[in-house]
């Protein structure tokens, strides 16, 4: 989380706007991951990090409670995205092993039949 020394309603409103955008981007990341759009995940993650840096670090900041809630919800999206990434990694690994096995079988057949 970043600086943010504004106090009062203006500070809380700015945090609320950043928190909303952070959550929106986090949810978009999850939807992109569900669709297998990994470029979209990475693009939104970069934007999301910029918004997270704009949230206050000071626990006494008027918007600190909003920031904490937004970050907690964002972390839930991260967990879902991570699980989807791991499933995709496993799927790609299995496909790669299957392809390698297929090539080995073809090579063996070529050696025996040629």
């Amino acid at each position: 989380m970043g600086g943010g020394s504004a106090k009062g309603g203006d500070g809380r409103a700015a945090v609320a706007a950043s928190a909303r955008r952070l959550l929106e981007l986090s949810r978009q990341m999850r939807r992109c991951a569900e669709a297998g759009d990994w470029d979209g995940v990475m693009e939104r993650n970069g934007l999301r990090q910029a918004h997270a840096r704009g949230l206050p670090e000071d626990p006494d900041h008027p918007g600190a409670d909003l920031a904490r809630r937004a970050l907690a919800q964002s972390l839930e999206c991260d967990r879902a995205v991570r699980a989807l990434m791991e499933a995709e990694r496993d799927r790609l690994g299995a496909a790669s092993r299957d392809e390698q096995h297929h090539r080995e079988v073809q090579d063996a057949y070529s050696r025996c039949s040629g």
Side-chain angles (χ1 to χ4, degrees):
M1 290 192 295
S5 60
K7 296 289 182 186
D10 289 343
R12 188 169 172 82
V15 171
S18 287
R20 276 192 303 276
R21 185 66 178 140
L22 176 80
L23 288 175
E24 178 184 326
L25 289 165
S26 296
R27 291 174 183 139
Q28 287 176 10
M29 278 178 58
R30 185 176 53 211
R31 285 191 298 272
C32 286
E34 289 167 348
D37 178 7
W38 302 108
D39 290 337
V41 170
M42 298 308 292
E43 178 184 328
R44 283 158 182 83
N45 188 50
L47 295 169
R48 190 177 67 135
Q49 288 177 356
H51 284 280
R53 283 191 294 271
L55 295 175
E57 292 179 4
D58 179 1
D60 296 326
H61 186 283
D65 57 327
L66 295 172
R68 279 191 298 276
R69 283 195 303 270
L71 288 170
Q73 291 175 13
S74 180
L75 287 173
E76 286 300 315
C77 288
D78 281 356
R79 288 183 193 96
V81 168
R82 189 173 301 114
L84 291 163
M85 288 176 81
E86 289 170 358
E88 180 67 3
R89 177 201 62 205
D90 294 347
R91 186 192 69 75
L92 290 172
S96 178
R97 288 187 297 278
D98 289 348
E99 185 177 326
Q100 178 64 30
H101 178 71
H102 180 71
R103 278 195 299 258
E104 290 170 358
V105 168
Q106 281 184 321
D107 290 346
Y109 179 77
S110 295
R111 285 191 303 271
C112 292
S113 66

PDB file of all heavy atoms in Angstrom, residues 7-21:
ATOM      1  N   LYS A   7      -6.670  13.767   4.761  1.00  0.00           N
ATOM      2  CA  LYS A   7      -7.544  13.454   5.905  1.00  0.00           C
ATOM      3  C   LYS A   7      -8.962  13.844   5.565  1.00  0.00           C
ATOM      4  O   LYS A   7      -9.222  14.613   4.652  1.00  0.00           O
ATOM      5  CB  LYS A   7      -7.086  14.212   7.164  1.00  0.00           C
ATOM      6  CG  LYS A   7      -5.707  13.814   7.653  1.00  0.00           C
ATOM      7  CD  LYS A   7      -5.745  12.435   8.240  1.00  0.00           C
ATOM      8  CE  LYS A   7      -4.370  12.068   8.778  1.00  0.00           C
ATOM      9  NZ  LYS A   7      -4.311  10.709   9.223  1.00  0.00           N
ATOM     10  N   GLY A   8      -9.895  13.320   6.338  1.00  0.00           N
ATOM     11  CA  GLY A   8     -11.285  13.735   6.213  1.00  0.00           C
ATOM     12  C   GLY A   8     -11.988  13.083   5.047  1.00  0.00           C
ATOM     13  O   GLY A   8     -11.569  12.083   4.501  1.00  0.00           O
ATOM     14  N   GLY A   9     -13.115  13.701   4.656  1.00  0.00           N
ATOM     15  CA  GLY A   9     -13.980  13.163   3.626  1.00  0.00           C
ATOM     16  C   GLY A   9     -13.308  13.024   2.274  1.00  0.00           C
ATOM     17  O   GLY A   9     -13.548  12.067   1.562  1.00  0.00           O
ATOM     18  N   ASP A  10     -12.466  14.010   1.905  1.00  0.00           N
ATOM     19  CA  ASP A  10     -11.779  13.934   0.624  1.00  0.00           C
ATOM     20  C   ASP A  10     -10.868  12.723   0.566  1.00  0.00           C
ATOM     21  O   ASP A  10     -10.820  12.018  -0.438  1.00  0.00           O
ATOM     22  CB  ASP A  10     -10.966  15.207   0.355  1.00  0.00           C
ATOM     23  CG  ASP A  10     -11.858  16.410   0.058  1.00  0.00           C
ATOM     24  OD1 ASP A  10     -13.046  16.201  -0.261  1.00  0.00           O
ATOM     25  OD2 ASP A  10     -11.351  17.543   0.158  1.00  0.00           O
ATOM     26  N   GLY A  11     -10.148  12.478   1.661  1.00  0.00           N
ATOM     27  CA  GLY A  11      -9.248  11.327   1.706  1.00  0.00           C
ATOM     28  C   GLY A  11     -10.019  10.022   1.627  1.00  0.00           C
ATOM     29  O   GLY A  11      -9.633   9.101   0.927  1.00  0.00           O
ATOM     30  N   ARG A  12     -11.118   9.956   2.329  1.00  0.00           N
ATOM     31  CA  ARG A  12     -11.954   8.745   2.314  1.00  0.00           C
ATOM     32  C   ARG A  12     -12.558   8.526   0.928  1.00  0.00           C
ATOM     33  O   ARG A  12     -12.612   7.401   0.445  1.00  0.00           O
ATOM     34  CB  ARG A  12     -13.037   8.846   3.376  1.00  0.00           C
ATOM     35  CG  ARG A  12     -13.810   7.562   3.553  1.00  0.00           C
ATOM     36  CD  ARG A  12     -14.680   7.621   4.802  1.00  0.00           C
ATOM     37  NE  ARG A  12     -15.552   6.486   4.896  1.00  0.00           N
ATOM     38  CZ  ARG A  12     -15.217   5.295   5.368  1.00  0.00           C
ATOM     39  NH1 ARG A  12     -13.998   5.094   5.821  1.00  0.00           N
ATOM     40  NH2 ARG A  12     -16.094   4.312   5.414  1.00  0.00           N
ATOM     41  N   ALA A  13     -12.990   9.602   0.274  1.00  0.00           N
ATOM     42  CA  ALA A  13     -13.568   9.488  -1.068  1.00  0.00           C
ATOM     43  C   ALA A  13     -12.531   8.997  -2.069  1.00  0.00           C
ATOM     44  O   ALA A  13     -12.837   8.161  -2.923  1.00  0.00           O
ATOM     45  CB  ALA A  13     -14.147  10.832  -1.502  1.00  0.00           C
ATOM     46  N   ALA A  14     -11.307   9.499  -1.961  1.00  0.00           N
ATOM     47  CA  ALA A  14     -10.239   9.059  -2.862  1.00  0.00           C
ATOM     48  C   ALA A  14      -9.922   7.589  -2.635  1.00  0.00           C
ATOM     49  O   ALA A  14      -9.722   6.831  -3.591  1.00  0.00           O
ATOM     50  CB  ALA A  14      -8.990   9.914  -2.653  1.00  0.00           C
ATOM     51  N   VAL A  15      -9.882   7.177  -1.376  1.00  0.00           N
ATOM     52  CA  VAL A  15      -9.627   5.768  -1.063  1.00  0.00           C
ATOM     53  C   VAL A  15     -10.767   4.908  -1.585  1.00  0.00           C
ATOM     54  O   VAL A  15     -10.545   3.836  -2.158  1.00  0.00           O
ATOM     55  CB  VAL A  15      -9.423   5.558   0.455  1.00  0.00           C
ATOM     56  CG1 VAL A  15      -9.386   4.083   0.806  1.00  0.00           C
ATOM     57  CG2 VAL A  15      -8.139   6.244   0.907  1.00  0.00           C
ATOM     58  N   ALA A  16     -12.000   5.374  -1.420  1.00  0.00           N
ATOM     59  CA  ALA A  16     -13.161   4.624  -1.891  1.00  0.00           C
ATOM     60  C   ALA A  16     -13.085   4.411  -3.404  1.00  0.00           C
ATOM     61  O   ALA A  16     -13.355   3.315  -3.897  1.00  0.00           O
ATOM     62  CB  ALA A  16     -14.455   5.333  -1.509  1.00  0.00           C
ATOM     63  N   ALA A  17     -12.681   5.430  -4.137  1.00  0.00           N
ATOM     64  CA  ALA A  17     -12.560   5.315  -5.590  1.00  0.00           C
ATOM     65  C   ALA A  17     -11.465   4.322  -5.965  1.00  0.00           C
ATOM     66  O   ALA A  17     -11.661   3.465  -6.835  1.00  0.00           O
ATOM     67  CB  ALA A  17     -12.282   6.682  -6.204  1.00  0.00           C
ATOM     68  N   SER A  18     -10.325   4.415  -5.299  1.00  0.00           N
ATOM     69  CA  SER A  18      -9.229   3.468  -5.572  1.00  0.00           C
ATOM     70  C   SER A  18      -9.625   2.049  -5.180  1.00  0.00           C
ATOM     71  O   SER A  18      -9.318   1.095  -5.892  1.00  0.00           O
ATOM     72  CB  SER A  18      -7.958   3.869  -4.822  1.00  0.00           C
ATOM     73  OG  SER A  18      -7.378   4.993  -5.418  1.00  0.00           O
ATOM     74  N   ALA A  19     -10.322   1.906  -4.065  1.00  0.00           N
ATOM     75  CA  ALA A  19     -10.745   0.586  -3.608  1.00  0.00           C
ATOM     76  C   ALA A  19     -11.731  -0.034  -4.588  1.00  0.00           C
ATOM     77  O   ALA A  19     -11.632  -1.225  -4.910  1.00  0.00           O
ATOM     78  CB  ALA A  19     -11.365   0.679  -2.215  1.00  0.00           C
ATOM     79  N   ARG A  20     -12.677   0.768  -5.093  1.00  0.00           N
ATOM     80  CA  ARG A  20     -13.641   0.257  -6.083  1.00  0.00           C
ATOM     81  C   ARG A  20     -12.927  -0.206  -7.344  1.00  0.00           C
ATOM     82  O   ARG A  20     -13.229  -1.265  -7.893  1.00  0.00           O
ATOM     83  CB  ARG A  20     -14.668   1.329  -6.434  1.00  0.00           C
ATOM     84  CG  ARG A  20     -15.831   1.415  -5.474  1.00  0.00           C
ATOM     85  CD  ARG A  20     -16.957   2.286  -6.017  1.00  0.00           C
ATOM     86  NE  ARG A  20     -16.536   3.643  -6.340  1.00  0.00           N
ATOM     87  CZ  ARG A  20     -16.470   4.627  -5.447  1.00  0.00           C
ATOM     88  NH1 ARG A  20     -16.783   4.425  -4.183  1.00  0.00           N
ATOM     89  NH2 ARG A  20     -16.092   5.826  -5.818  1.00  0.00           N
ATOM     90  N   ARG A  21     -11.978   0.598  -7.804  1.00  0.00           N
ATOM     91  CA  ARG A  21     -11.239   0.236  -9.031  1.00  0.00           C
ATOM     92  C   ARG A  21     -10.390  -1.007  -8.793  1.00  0.00           C
ATOM     93  O   ARG A  21     -10.308  -1.884  -9.659  1.00  0.00           O
ATOM     94  CB  ARG A  21     -10.377   1.420  -9.476  1.00  0.00           C
ATOM     95  CG  ARG A  21      -9.688   1.196 -10.775  1.00  0.00           C
ATOM     96  CD  ARG A  21     -10.669   1.084 -11.927  1.00  0.00           C
ATOM     97  NE  ARG A  21      -9.920   0.919 -13.174  1.00  0.00           N
ATOM     98  CZ  ARG A  21     -10.277   0.112 -14.152  1.00  0.00           C
ATOM     99  NH1 ARG A  21     -11.386  -0.576 -14.082  1.00  0.00           N
ATOM    100  NH2 ARG A  21      -9.540   0.002 -15.227  1.00  0.00           N
TER     101      ARG A  21
END
